[in-house]
Structure formats: structure tokens, C-alpha cells
Amino acid sequence: MKRGYTAVPKAVLVMTVLLLCGCMVTESSNYPKPVDEDKMLTTHINLGLRYVSRGNREMARHHLDKALAIDSRSSGALTGYALVYEQEGEHELAEDNFKRAMSADPSDTRARFYYAVYLNTRDRFVEARKHFIQVTEDVGYPHRALAFASLGQVEAEMGNSDAARQALERALRINPKLPQVYMELAELEYQAGNFKTANTNLKYFSQFSKGPSPRSLWLGIRLEREFNNKDAEASYGLALKNMFPESDENQAYQEWLKTR
């Protein structure tokens, strides 16, 4: 069964919008001053990314086109279009725009992070790992903790447990309130047979998450079986069945019950 880890929440894609005036007028003249194109470019890119995160591709295109009219090699606008194409399932166009963005500005960490996330969702872990490592090296990147978290998930997918722990622990040093990091650590500890440590991490996941996930409930079931706590195991199982009946985890649980 696929691990089911979500590397980067969609909320990460919601960028801060800068509300800027379109033009300014001098006190002695009715002629507008030239608009600061750099600010306009930034505004259109951020608005475009915001609309992408909302799934409003029409408005996203509107602003990204305006950004490209200002700078046809804008890495931010090209990244925005890559995300639009990704939403539409146009993966070749998405990848082409990601690569164009990084070619236009190799120092654009945001573009590289989104490309790494894209590669991760396509199960291209070796490539994703390389780009996530580069992202984590940018100490000024505001989503560096999530980059370490995603790197840890990729390392886990590749079977590199020690490297996965190191990356996940780095993520928690930057931001100790990332629930998915605790979930990944809990899974790693469970697989290593460290059931008490796994349970501790699962509790931290519950503390910081908005609610249980299919994966957390399924891990809870297996841990309580190890602790021989039948009531807690049944409680987790009932929650998984009722809350996420169509999930892969529930299907695995139902099959697991047949063998017990």
C-alpha cells in the first residue's frame, strides 16, 4: 500500500498578496508617474499564485499573463503557469514551465520547491530529493521546514531511514508544530519496532493536526495491537471505518482483520 504522505499542504501555495496602486499622480500635474514594473510584476505573480491555490485558473491566467507581459522570462510567472498546467493534468507543459522557470532564475527557491513537490507527487523520488536538498540549503526560504519535511518523506520512500529521520528532525527544529512530520516519524519508528516512540510521535500528530487521518488511525490500530490494548484498537478501527470507509487504509484494515 502506498504510504499516503502528503508532502506539501495546498495551503502552502497561498502566497501573500501585495495590494499596490496601479499609478500615482503628482501634485503639480495630471500626468501619472510611471508605474514601478518590479512591484507590478510581483503583484501579478502573487495574485496569480493565490488564484491557482483557489483553483480559479481563469483569474490565475489573467494575472500571470500580465506578469509575462512585463517580463517574458519571469521565473515566478512561469512557475505559476506550471502549477496551472499541473492542476489541468497537462504534465508535459507543467514540467516544461518549471524547467523554464529555473533556467530563467536558478536562484528562485520557490520555483525549485514547487518543482520538487511536483516530482514527488509523480513518484520521481531521486529527482525530487536532489531539488529538495537544494531548497533546504537556502536558509532564508520561508518554507524551509516544509522542504526538510518533504525531503524526509522522500528519503523514507527510498528506504533511507536514517537520512529520513535526520531531515524530519531538522524540520521540527525549525517548526515543531508540523503534524505530518510527527506522522512520518511515527511510521518510521513503527517500522523499526520502536513502538513506544512511534506512539509518542502519533500523539504529537494528534496534538497539532486538525483531526485524525486515515494513516494515523491505521497506525493507531497496529500500535494498539502491539500493546495488546483491544479496546483502543477497536476504537481506532471503528473510527477508520466510519470516517474514511473508502480509504486505502481502511481497505488494508479490513484485509488485515481477515488474517487475525
Side-chain angles (χ1 to χ4, degrees), residues 36-203:
D36 186 328
E37 287 192 343
D38 287 339
K39 290 183 178 180
M40 289 297 295
L41 179 64
T42 299
T43 299
H44 285 304
I45 290 171
N46 286 338
L47 284 169
L49 290 172
R50 182 176 182 180
Y51 281 115
V52 169
S53 73
R54 294 177 175 179
N56 188 337
R57 293 188 292 276
E58 180 179 356
M59 287 301 298
R61 278 189 165 91
H62 170 77
H63 287 286
L64 295 173
D65 284 343
K66 286 185 175 294
L68 290 172
I70 297 171
D71 180 0
S72 62
R73 285 178 51 81
S74 164
S75 61
L78 291 168
T79 299
Y81 254 110
L83 296 170
V84 168
Y85 287 131
E86 182 183 3
Q87 285 188 355
E88 295 177 343
E90 299 288 352
H91 299 299
E92 290 185 8
L93 289 172
E95 182 147 2
D96 178 64
N97 276 269
F98 277 128
K99 289 180 176 179
R100 288 173 61 197
M102 290 186 295
S103 176
D105 184 0
S107 67
D108 187 342
T109 302
R110 177 172 61 181
R112 191 172 300 279
F113 178 58
Y114 286 164
Y115 182 48
V117 171
Y118 167 82
L119 292 169
N120 191 19
T121 61
R122 306 295 293 168
D123 292 343
R124 293 164 58 181
F125 302 124
V126 174
E127 296 168 87
R129 177 181 180 273
K130 179 184 72 173
H131 289 289
F132 277 132
I133 288 174
Q134 288 182 259
V135 173
T136 62
E137 291 170 350
D138 183 352
V139 296
Y141 185 57
H143 300 305
R144 191 171 178 234
L146 289 170
F148 271 116
S150 297
L151 174 60
Q153 181 267 331
V154 167
E155 296 284 15
E157 291 280 6
M158 296 174 66
N160 304 328
S161 298
D162 290 341
R165 283 190 182 85
Q166 290 175 11
L168 295 167
E169 288 168 359
R170 288 291 299 276
L172 290 178
R173 283 202 291 272
I174 298 170
N175 183 353
K177 296 182 179 180
L178 290 175
Q180 284 301 132
V181 176
Y182 291 110
M183 185 68 250
E184 192 64 49
L185 283 169
E187 189 71 51
L188 284 171
E189 297 298 347
Y190 174 81
Q191 292 174 2
N194 302 323
F195 303 127
K196 289 185 178 179
T197 305
N199 196 46
T200 297
N201 280 288
L202 186 60
K203 288 180 179 178

Side-chain angles (χ1 to χ4, degrees), residues 19-24 35 40:
L19 300 177
L20 303 173
C21 295
C23 62
M24 297 179 65
V35 175
M40 289 297 295

